[in-house]
Amino acid sequence: MITKRERALIIQDELAKAFPNPEVPLLHKDPYTLLIAVLLSAQCTDARVNLVTPALFEMADSPDEMAQLDPSVVREIIRPCGLSERKAASIVSLSRILVDQYQSRVPCDFKALESLPGVGHKTASVVMNQAFHIPAFPVDTHIFRLARRWKLSSANSVERVEKDLKKIFPEKDWGRLHLRMVLYGRTYCPARGCRPICSICARLQNVK
């Protein structure tokens, strides 16, 4: 019988083999463009976001430029991402807040980020982790599914799964693990099927 932590180490090793050098799949050049891209990715694929952001960032790739736009202009560009009216309003509003309150910079602070329009805990976690290298473990639908499928957590909420994963894995590895689990879920382990790691976990059913 193995412990949950031992199972986690096996999974972590397999993820590292599958994706040794994971990169953020969203096109961006700085914390601001990453923030906008992650906001757009809500209920939308990263691939589709990457088709939309070049035109958006050509028009405005800084808080100062975006703050000058009418939300209707932004809405037309980001329409393929879905929820375009709400997302456009959030993008313009948060840009104006960044200009007015943060010297046109994305704050390196969870509370400040989560107070911005359209920015939830997951979005803030991605920005803190990938833009500022502050330890965080954003949990999206892929990670939520895999954590439960691999018996790393039995929780029924994203918040609880995040807490469980943070207890299991070393803080220094959270950023890479987040990316690796997302990439693994998309590539090998979709909702209706599973591949290598699931087979390994099936052989490790008994967990203390």
Side-chain angles (χ1 to χ4, degrees):
M1 181 178 292
I2 68 169
T3 65
K4 184 179 292 186
R5 191 171 298 279
E6 288 170 335
R7 173 193 286 261
L9 289 174
I10 293 171
I11 290 170
Q12 189 170 356
D13 185 56
E14 292 298 317
L15 288 170
K17 291 177 184 176
F19 298 98
N21 299 298
E23 296 183 357
V24 179
L26 291 166
L27 299 176
H28 68 285
K29 68 174 185 177
D30 56 22
Y32 176 72
T33 51
L34 176 61
L35 172 62
I36 300 304
V38 178
L39 187 155
L40 288 173
S41 71
Q43 299 184 43
C44 179
T45 65
D46 289 349
R48 180 163 293 182
V49 172
N50 287 340
L51 292 175
V52 167
T53 49
L56 178 64
F57 294 150
E58 184 177 358
M59 178 177 292
D61 64 355
S62 71
D64 297 87
E65 292 176 339
M66 197 73 76
Q68 301 301 315
L69 299 180
D70 188 279
S72 63
V73 175
V74 176
R75 183 174 68 244
E76 287 305 309
I77 296 175
I78 68 171
R79 191 178 296 277
C81 293
L83 305 174
S84 59
E85 184 170 358
R86 187 168 73 192
K87 290 178 180 178
S90 294
I91 289 171
V92 173
S93 294
L94 74 82
S95 298
R96 291 171 179 169
I97 292 172
L98 293 180
V99 172
D100 293 340
Q101 299 182 24
Y102 297 100
Q103 296 77 51
S104 300
R105 298 179 181 230
V106 175
C108 180
D109 178 85
F110 269 108
K111 186 176 180 180
L113 280 171
E114 291 176 12
S115 71
L116 297 173
V119 178
H121 180 67
K122 190 199 81 171
T123 297
S125 295
V126 172
V127 173
M128 289 292 285
N129 196 354
Q130 303 303 330
F132 300 119
H133 309 294
I134 303 298
F137 208 134
V139 174
D140 69 352
T141 54
H142 297 288
I143 294 177
F144 182 80
R145 180 178 70 252
L146 295 181
R148 289 166 54 83
R149 186 174 279 176
W150 295 343
K151 298 185 188 302
L152 298 176
S153 175
S154 59
N156 292 316
S157 71
V158 169
E159 294 78 13
R160 187 64 239 180
V161 168
E162 179 181 334
K163 290 180 181 179
D164 289 343
L165 293 176
K166 285 180 174 180
K167 289 179 181 178
I168 297 171
F169 294 108
E171 186 178 277
K172 65 181 179 61
D173 296 333
W174 290 353
R176 284 173 295 179
L177 269 170
H178 157 73
L179 291 174
R180 284 169 175 160
M181 288 183 74
V182 170
L183 293 171
Y184 195 93
R186 291 176 181 174
T187 307
Y188 299 114
C189 207
R192 295 187 178 182
C194 55
R195 293 289 182 87
I197 291 181
C198 292
S199 299
I200 293 172
C201 287
R203 298 196 298 270
L204 303 172
Q205 286 298 321
N206 297 319
V207 180
K208 290 181 183 177

